[in-house]
Amino acid sequence: MKMIKKISLVTIGMAGAALSMTANAGTLDDVKARGALSCGVSTGLAGFSQKDEKGAWSGLDVDVCRAVAAAVLGDASKVQYKPLTAKERFTALQSGEIDVLSRNTTWTHTRDTSLGLNFAGVVYYDGTGFMVSKKLGVKSATELDGANACIQAGTSTELAISDYFREKKISYKAVTFDTSDQTRAGFESGRCDFLTSDQSQLYALRIGLADPAGAVVLPEVISKEPLGPVVRQGDDQWFNIVKWSVNAMIEGEEQGVTAANVDDKLANGKPGNKRLLGGEGELGKNLGLNPDWAFQVIKQVGNYSESFERNVGQGSPLKISRGLNALWKDGGILYSPAMR
Amino acid sequence: MFKQKTTEQIKAATRPTDTAAHAFYNNPKYRALIYQILLVTGLLYFFYTIISNTLGNLEAAGIKSGFGFLSNAAGYDVLMSLIPFESTNSYMRVFIVGFLNTILVSALGIFFATILGFIFGVMYFSKNWLIKKLSVIYVETFRNIPLLLQILFWYSAVLASLPGVRDSLSLGEAVFLSIRGLVIPKLIGQGGGSTFVYIVLVLAIIGIFILRSWAKKRQDATGQQFPVFYTSIAMILGLPFVAALLTGFPFVIEYPVLKGFGFNGGITVIPELMALTLSLSIYTGAFIAEAVRAGIQAVPHGQTEAARSIGMKEKKIMSLIVVPQAMRVIVPLLNSEYQSLVKNSTLAAAIAYPDLFNVFVGTALNQTGQAIETIFMAIIVYFAVNMLISFIMNRFNGNVELVGR
Ligand SMILES: N[C@@H](CCC(=O)N[C@@H](CS)C(=O)NCC(=O)O)C(=O)O
C-alpha cells in the first residue's frame, strides 16, 4: 500500500512537471528581471562571434546581442553569451535557455515554419562557398570531382552542397564534423580536399589557418544563405524588439547617424533622426521600451556600417567588402522598413 | 462437489460476524489484482498525460511532431554506408545507414577488445617479469585515460599525421595508407565459379564445427587427441583455394589506383572507422583484461597444482583447466563491457564517423527539428542492441556454468 502511494505521488509529480512546460510568453519581462540578455552565439568564429583572451566577446553577431541589450536594458554589456555548435543552437532557443540566437544562422523556410521559431531579419546576406588548398591548383568547384569535403554537421551547408554536386553530376564525400574547430582541423590536416561553408565563414576560418595564404576561396557561390537573429515563436513583442533593434542599426547608417554624432543628431537633427532616436514620436513605447532605445543601440554599438567595418570589413583582418550587404541605395540589398 | 459447497455455505452462515473478512476486497488474491489494475491504469494515464501534454506543448510552440518526416528525402550525404545511399533517399534510410555503421564499429570493437583483453589478461600470470609488467601497464594506462581523449589521440594525433593521398605509404602498389584511410584491393567474383567457391567456404566452416565435435567425442572415448586447430585453418584456407583452382580462379582483383583527388577502386577503410575501432578496442580491452585476470584468480590454486601433479604442460593447464573455469566469472563481466562498448560508440560524433548518433540524432534531428522522435528512435535501438547482447551472453553463460554442483 505504501509503495502504491509512493508511486502515485511520483506519478502526480511528474505529470505536474510535464504540465508546467508551457510556452513562455514574457521574454521581455524575463530579461528585465534577470538584468541581462541571454544570447546564443557560435563557439568561436572570427568576425562574427569570438572571445578574446580576457573573455570579452566581439563580432557582427555579438553586436546584435549587444544592440538588443542596449535597447532593452540600456546597457550593451549586459549580455550572457552562450556558445553553441550548429547542432545545439535550435534546441537551446526552443527550451528557453537563450532569449535570442545570433549565430550565423540561415533563414530557411523549414526552420521558420517547423521549429517553433521566428527569424527577426537579416544581418548578413551570404551564400555557400568553397575553400581549397592553393597547392591543388583548383580554379572552380566543378573541378572537384571525387574530392572529400569538410563540413560542419547540422548546417544548411550540408544540404546546399549535396544539391549542387547532384545537379553538376559530380561525386564527393561529405566528412561532417561537430564544431568549426574540428572542421578546420580536418581541412588543415589534409583529411579533406576542400572546406565548404557560408562564404563569410570561409574567410573567418582562413585567417585561423596556420598558413592563411595557402588556401583560396573559390569564386562560386552556390546557395542563398541569409543570416539573421532568431527568437521563439509566440512572443510577438519580443520578436518586434529584436527585429527593430537590427533595423535601428541599418536605419542609423541610412540616416548617417553614428556612435560619434548621435547626441548631436538627437538635439539638432532632421525630424527623421529625432523619431529614430526618441526625441519625437512613440516608437520606443510601442515596443514596450524606453524612448531612447535606438539612441542607446547606436551610441553603444554603432550603426550597421560601423559594426560591419569594425568586425568583418576594412577595419578587421577579414577585409570583406560590403557587396550585397551594402545599403539598397549603395547597390546592396540591405533595407530597413520605414522607421515611423 | 455439491456437498462441499453446502458445507462452505453453512460455515459462512454460522459465522455472521466474519462477513467483512469474506468481502472480496479482503481476499488477498483479489486485492493484489485490484492493486495491479489500479497501478496499470495509473501508469497508462501517466504516459497518456505525458504524451498528450508534450504533443500539446509542441503544437502550442509551433514545433512539428510525428514520424511523417521519416519518408521525406534527407537531402544530405553520409560519409560511409554499408547499403547504397544517396541524398535523395529518406530519413528512414539514413536511420538504417547509421544503425548499420553503429553495428559495424561495435562488432569490430567487441572482436578486437576480446582478443586484446584475453591476451593481456592471461599475460598477467606470466612468469616473465617483462610480460607481466606489460599487461599491468596496458591495463592501468588505457583504463584510466578517458575514452574521448583516446579517440581524439588516434584520430587527430596519429592518423591525421599520415601522409596525404598523393604520398600514400604503399605496400606493393596494392595496399595504400594515407590520411584518407586504408585502401585495399577488392576481390570481385565472376559468374557461377565464384558462387561455387563461396559455397565451399561456407561448407568448410560448417565442416570445422562437425570436426570439432567429432574430435571431442573421440577424445572423450579414447583419449586420443586430434589437431583440430591446425586442421581447421587448413580447411578454411585450403578448401576454397582448391575450389578456386578447379574453377579456374573466377575472380578479378581490383587494385586501387590514384586518380584525381583519391583512389578509384578497391575498398577504403575510412580513418574515422579506424580511429574509433582502435580506441574502442584498446579501451574496452583493458577492462576485459581486468575481468580475465579476476576470473583466473578466482580459480582455486589447487586446480593448477593438481594439473601440474599429473604432468600437464603450463600452456595446457591455462587453456584446459584454468580458463574454462575462469569463464564462469568472466562471461557476466564481458556482457557489461560489450554493452558499454556499444554505448561508447556514440562518441563517434567527435570524429565524423557516421554512426547512428551522428547521422540521425545529430544531423537528422537538426535538419528536421524533431528532437523527441529522433531521440526516441535512437534510444529504442541502443536498448534493443544491448538486450540482444545480454540475451546472447546469458545463453553463453549457461554453457560455461558448472552443471549441477
Ligand atoms: N549558415 C549555416 C551554417 C552556419 C555554421 O554553423 N557555420 C559554421 C562554419 S564551419 C560555423 O559558423 N561554426 C561555428 C561554430 O560551430 O561555433 C546554417 O545556418 O546552417
Side-chain angles (χ1 to χ4, degrees):
Chain A
M1 192 62 186
K2 243 188 195 151
M3 201 189 77
I4 307 267
K5 241 186 212 159
K6 227 184 214 165
I7 291 177
S8 38
L9 275 181
V10 172
T11 314
I12 293 169
M14 284 170 104
L19 276 170
S20 64
M21 194 195 106
T22 43
N24 170 354
T27 312
L28 175 61
D29 294 336
D30 289 352
V31 172
K32 278 184 175 161
R34 203 187 305 130
L37 174 81
S38 179
C39 196
V41 292
S42 81
T43 59
L45 190 64
F48 288 84
S49 40
Q50 62 183 343
K51 206 158 108 170
D52 66 17
E53 313 82 52
K54 291 189 215 91
W57 285 87
S58 66
L60 191 62
D61 282 342
V62 163
D63 276 355
V64 173
C65 305
R66 299 180 65 232
V68 175
V72 173
L73 302 166
D75 185 346
S77 68
K78 291 200 170 140
V79 184
Q80 292 164 358
Y81 295 97
K82 296 264 161 71
L84 300 166
T85 66
K87 273 156 93 170
E88 296 159 349
R89 56 187 158 172
F90 299 121
T91 321
L93 184 58
Q94 288 165 335
S95 66
E97 195 189 331
I98 53 175
D99 306 310
V100 191
L101 174 70
S102 179
R103 187 208 167 280
N104 46 30
T105 297
T106 304
W107 184 351
T108 71
H109 183 290
T110 306
R111 288 173 179 176
D112 203 356
T113 55
S114 70
L115 299 183
L117 306 175
N118 276 333
F119 281 80
V122 177
V123 174
Y124 190 104
Y125 290 94
D126 210 337
T128 302
F130 305 90
M131 177 162 74
V132 297
S133 161
K134 216 173 225 163
K135 283 201 305 269
L136 289 180
V138 170
K139 293 276 168 305
S140 149
T142 51
E143 297 166 37
L144 290 171
D145 194 9
N148 282 252
C150 277
I151 318 175
Q152 191 162 349
T155 57
S156 45
T157 317
E158 279 187 276
L159 308 176
I161 177 136
S162 171
D163 277 359
Y164 178 77
F165 279 91
R166 270 194 88 73
E167 204 178 288
K168 295 268 182 246
K169 294 197 171 51
I170 38 188
S171 70
Y172 78 107
K173 285 269 171 227
V175 188
T176 32
F177 292 94
D178 246 11
T179 68
S180 59
D181 282 344
Q182 290 167 352
T183 315
R184 193 190 51 213
F187 174 71
E188 245 182 333
S189 70
R191 174 67 184 91
C192 318
D193 302 293
F194 67 102
L195 189 155
T196 175
S197 174
D198 299 344
Q199 211 170 35
S200 66
Q201 287 135 51
L202 293 179
Y203 291 111
L205 290 172
R206 189 171 65 168
I207 59 165
L209 295 175
D211 172 27
V216 279
V217 174
L218 296 181
E220 278 101 340
V221 174
I222 60 166
S223 70
K224 289 195 288 190
E225 307 284 338
L227 313 177
V230 200
V231 296
R232 271 183 300 283
Q233 202 170 295
D235 186 347
D236 287 355
Q237 184 188 27
W238 185 248
F239 179 38
N240 283 338
I241 289 172
V242 175
K243 180 164 56 185
W244 285 97
S245 298
V246 172
N247 285 336
M249 291 175 73
I250 299 172
E251 183 74 18
E253 177 182 0
E254 190 170 337
Q255 295 190 9
V257 183
T258 64
N261 69 15
V262 65
D263 291 291
D264 179 49
K265 291 281 183 188
L266 175 61
N268 315 314
K270 289 185 277 206
N273 300 153
K274 291 191 171 167
R275 243 190 342 265
L276 171 68
L277 301 174
E280 263 168 35
E282 304 206 306
L283 298 187
K285 191 170 160 229
N286 294 346
L287 288 171
L289 301 176
N290 292 335
D292 69 345
W293 65 284
F295 173 88
Q296 297 298 349
V297 170
I298 296 175
K299 174 116 188 156
Q300 298 184 39
V301 184
N303 68 27
Y304 184 86
S305 153
E306 291 176 290
S307 177
F308 188 99
E309 299 300 354
R310 178 172 68 229
N311 293 306
V312 298
Q314 303 314 314
S316 79
L318 296 183
K319 304 254 181 295
I320 299 176
S321 59
R322 287 292 288 271
L324 273 186
N325 295 298
L327 287 180
W328 57 285
K329 32 175 218 180
D330 304 332
I333 55 175
L334 216 60
Y335 187 104
S336 160
M339 194 64 80
R340 58 167 71 249
Chain B
M1 199 75 130
F2 184 66
K3 227 180 182 175
Q4 254 182 0
K5 219 176 186 178
T6 34
T7 37
E8 228 165 58
Q9 277 169 346
I10 292 166
K11 262 191 198 163
T14 51
R15 265 183 289 164
T17 43
D18 274 3
T19 39
H22 278 253
F24 76 97
Y25 51 82
N26 274 340
N27 181 332
K29 226 165 84 190
Y30 285 126
R31 203 146 95 174
L33 192 69
I34 290 170
Y35 282 147
Q36 285 189 20
I37 291 175
L38 276 180
L39 183 64
V40 170
T41 323
L43 274 178
L44 283 180
Y45 178 70
F46 168 66
F47 283 116
Y48 168 77
T49 332
I50 291 270
I51 292 172
S52 61
N53 252 306
T54 310
L55 289 179
N57 284 338
L58 287 177
E59 196 177 320
I63 302 173
K64 222 164 86 176
S65 58
F67 288 94
F69 74 98
L70 284 175
S71 54
N72 296 347
Y76 59 93
D77 292 281
V78 175
L79 178 57
M80 176 189 115
S81 73
L82 299 176
I83 53 172
F85 178 80
E86 290 183 48
S87 60
T88 45
N89 291 145
S90 67
Y91 280 111
M92 189 62 210
R93 203 168 173 93
V94 172
F95 177 74
I96 296 169
V97 165
F99 171 69
L100 291 177
N101 286 344
T102 289
I103 295 294
L104 176 70
V105 76
S106 302
L108 288 172
I110 286 176
F111 179 75
F112 290 115
T114 311
I115 293 180
L116 282 176
F118 272 84
I119 291 178
F120 280 96
V122 170
M123 270 165 62
Y124 182 80
F125 296 93
S126 170
K127 295 257 147 44
N128 186 323
W129 181 86
L130 187 68
I131 292 183
K132 188 184 170 104
K133 269 282 161 302
L134 267 179
S135 159
V136 173
I137 290 172
Y138 167 73
V139 170
E140 290 311 320
T141 314
F142 291 103
R143 211 177 48 159
N144 291 322
I145 299 176
L147 177 57
L148 183 60
L149 264 170
Q150 296 193 35
I151 294 176
L152 291 175
F153 168 77
W154 286 110
Y155 188 65
S156 309
V158 179
L159 295 179
S161 55
L162 285 171
V165 247
R166 276 150 226 264
D167 317 304
S168 298
L169 308 169
S170 83
L171 198 75
E173 293 301 308
V175 177
F176 297 91
L177 184 67
S178 74
I179 189 159
R180 299 287 161 76
L182 181 71
V183 194
I184 52 174
K186 189 170 164 186
L187 208 58
I188 302 174
Q190 286 176 321
S194 65
T195 321
F196 178 66
V197 178
Y198 294 140
I199 293 174
V200 169
L201 179 67
V202 173
L203 288 180
I205 293 172
I206 298 173
I208 287 171
F209 280 98
I210 297 175
L211 178 77
R212 268 185 53 176
S213 69
W214 169 80
K216 190 173 172 332
K217 266 200 204 119
R218 196 178 74 141
Q219 191 178 352
D220 286 350
T222 67
Q224 275 176 308
Q225 290 185 1
F226 189 82
V228 177
F229 183 70
Y230 295 107
T231 320
S232 304
I233 290 190
M235 275 168 80
I236 206 162
L237 295 177
L239 290 181
F241 183 71
V242 172
L245 278 186
L246 284 180
T247 47
F249 205 75
F251 292 96
V252 285
I253 301 175
E254 186 188 84
Y255 289 100
V257 276
L258 190 62
K259 186 176 156 256
F261 290 95
F263 285 97
N264 265 17
I267 299 171
T268 305
V269 184
I270 55 171
E272 290 76 21
L273 175 61
M274 286 163 49
L276 198 60
T277 307
L278 268 169
S279 43
L280 283 175
S281 312
I282 293 175
Y283 178 76
T284 315
F287 285 88
I288 293 179
E290 268 296 276
V292 169
R293 190 174 68 98
I296 291 177
Q297 275 173 343
V299 177
H301 197 58
Q303 298 277 334
T304 316
E305 280 169 357
R308 276 197 199 122
S309 73
I310 60 168
M312 277 181 107
K313 285 191 218 126
E314 289 296 319
K315 262 192 193 144
K316 288 263 154 148
I317 296 177
M318 209 35 140
S319 65
L320 291 177
I321 306 288
V322 178
V323 171
Q325 296 189 71
M327 287 307 273
R328 274 182 285 158
V329 173
I330 298 173
V331 170
L333 294 172
L334 279 185
N335 186 1
S336 69
E337 291 313 330
Y338 290 169
Q339 297 194 19
S340 305
L341 188 143
V342 174
K343 286 182 275 179
N344 285 337
S345 73
T346 54
L347 287 172
I351 55 164
Y353 177 73
D355 78 326
L356 180 67
F357 210 74
N358 196 355
V359 298
F360 199 68
V361 180
T363 301
L365 186 160
N366 211 267
Q367 301 295 358
T368 61
Q370 300 200 257
I372 294 179
E373 292 84 351
T374 46
I375 290 178
F376 175 75
M377 288 175 71
I379 288 176
I380 298 282
V381 164
Y382 287 101
F383 180 71
V385 170
N386 275 347
M387 288 307 279
L388 184 72
I389 290 179
S390 211
F391 175 75
I392 295 174
M393 294 307 283
N394 283 338
R395 290 288 297 268
F396 188 45
N397 198 21
N399 283 347
V400 296
E401 246 167 15
L402 211 57
V403 206
R405 193 161 73 171

